[in-house]
Amino acid sequence: MSLFVKNPILFQNIPCTLVTGFLGAGKTTVINQLLTTKPNDERWALLINEFGRIGIDGALLASAQDDSFEQKNIAIREVSGGCICCTSQLPLQIAISRLLSEHHPQRLLIEPTGLAHPRELILQLSATHWQTALKMNAVITVLSGVQWQQIKYRDHDGFQAHVRDADVLIINRYDQLSSSEKHTLIEWIATLNSHAKIIWAVSELTTETTDA
């Protein structure tokens, strides 16, 4: 429904990045790191999804009230009332359209709820009415090593769904994993997604990269 983008010609090929991960994976930390890489002369927008009564990024939203975000040319908005991957596309379309028309961002970051299935959101953002306005840049998935150690997560389809559609996998909270477990984790990832680039998050400022 392109009618929600008033002037689609004004918004062309805006890079759009999805930051996904199961509930509790640590997406907020990664998003904060991404925001620190923003050039001073660019305007960015962040759209996050709250599911039911679970504010998955309450701390980030609270920080968004700080004037520093406006000073840094970062607009943050929330889509509440349900998972944007599962409910009607209308709330998502309205939220994106308002961000584009009101803030004219040069990059858009979208964080769906940890209960989402990224594939559904990718299909939505690839629809005809967004093909000229948005340019899908990458799907970044945050994977918690602590969660992966537990079989209830490893065998959960929702947990696996985030891995399947990732272009980049950032693995954090893996200090408890042995060398053998790390190797097993890489093999497990390869069975779901052999093309993902794997990044081992060492700290808030440092990362290590390895092949899947």
Side-chain angles (χ1 to χ4, degrees):
M1 298 176 66
S2 58
L3 60 92
F4 292 108
V5 182
K6 295 181 179 180
N7 297 297
I9 296 178
L10 297 178
F11 313 111
Q12 291 189 339
N13 297 321
I14 297 173
C16 179
T17 301
L18 300 187
V19 181
T20 76
F22 203 69
L23 285 172
K27 298 186 294 295
T28 300
T29 297
V30 171
I31 288 175
N32 277 321
Q33 292 174 350
L34 288 174
L35 292 177
T36 64
T37 68
K38 185 188 76 66
N40 293 331
D41 59 347
E42 287 190 7
R43 293 182 300 278
W44 284 20
L46 169 63
L47 180 66
I48 69 174
N49 183 199
E50 174 268 342
F51 184 80
R53 298 179 61 185
I54 305 173
I56 57 176
D57 280 318
L60 191 60
L61 273 177
S63 299
Q65 306 303 318
D66 194 299
D67 291 339
S68 62
F69 273 86
E70 291 187 7
Q71 294 172 1
K72 294 177 181 178
N73 281 328
I74 299 173
I76 300 180
R77 294 293 181 270
E78 179 185 33
V79 177
S80 59
C83 173
I84 56 177
C85 302
C86 307
T87 58
S88 167
Q89 296 183 28
L90 185 59
L92 175 65
Q93 290 192 36
I94 292 176
I96 293 178
S97 295
R98 286 180 175 173
L99 276 174
L100 297 185
S101 61
E102 295 174 6
H103 299 282
H104 307 283
Q106 292 159 286
R107 182 173 296 273
L108 174 64
L109 305 178
I110 299 179
E111 179 194 3
T113 170
L115 298 176
H117 279 66
R119 179 70 56 85
E120 298 299 324
L121 184 54
I122 293 170
L123 291 175
Q124 289 185 33
L125 295 173
S126 301
T128 304
H129 49 268
W130 293 122
Q131 285 180 354
T132 56
L134 301 178
K135 176 183 178 182
M136 290 302 301
N137 194 26
V139 177
I140 299 175
T141 294
V142 184
L143 189 153
S144 165
V146 173
Q147 290 182 337
W148 175 82
Q149 281 183 302
Q150 304 175 56
I151 192 170
K152 68 177 182 180
Y153 287 104
R154 285 200 305 273
D155 291 348
H156 193 291
D157 182 67
F159 187 82
Q160 295 178 6
H162 292 279
V163 176
R164 291 191 194 101
D165 292 303
D167 295 311
V168 178
L169 266 169
I170 297 179
I171 304 175
N172 64 2
R173 302 171 183 171
Y174 59 87
D175 293 344
Q176 299 179 25
L177 272 62
S178 65
S179 297
S180 176
E181 287 176 316
K182 290 180 183 178
H183 180 71
T184 301
L185 171 55
I186 292 176
E187 290 182 331
W188 178 83
I189 291 172
T191 63
L192 297 172
N193 183 347
S194 61
H195 302 291
K197 178 180 180 180
I198 297 176
I199 297 177
W200 298 84
V202 177
S203 69
E204 291 187 358
L205 299 177
T206 311
T207 58
E208 292 179 347
T209 303
T210 187
D211 294 328

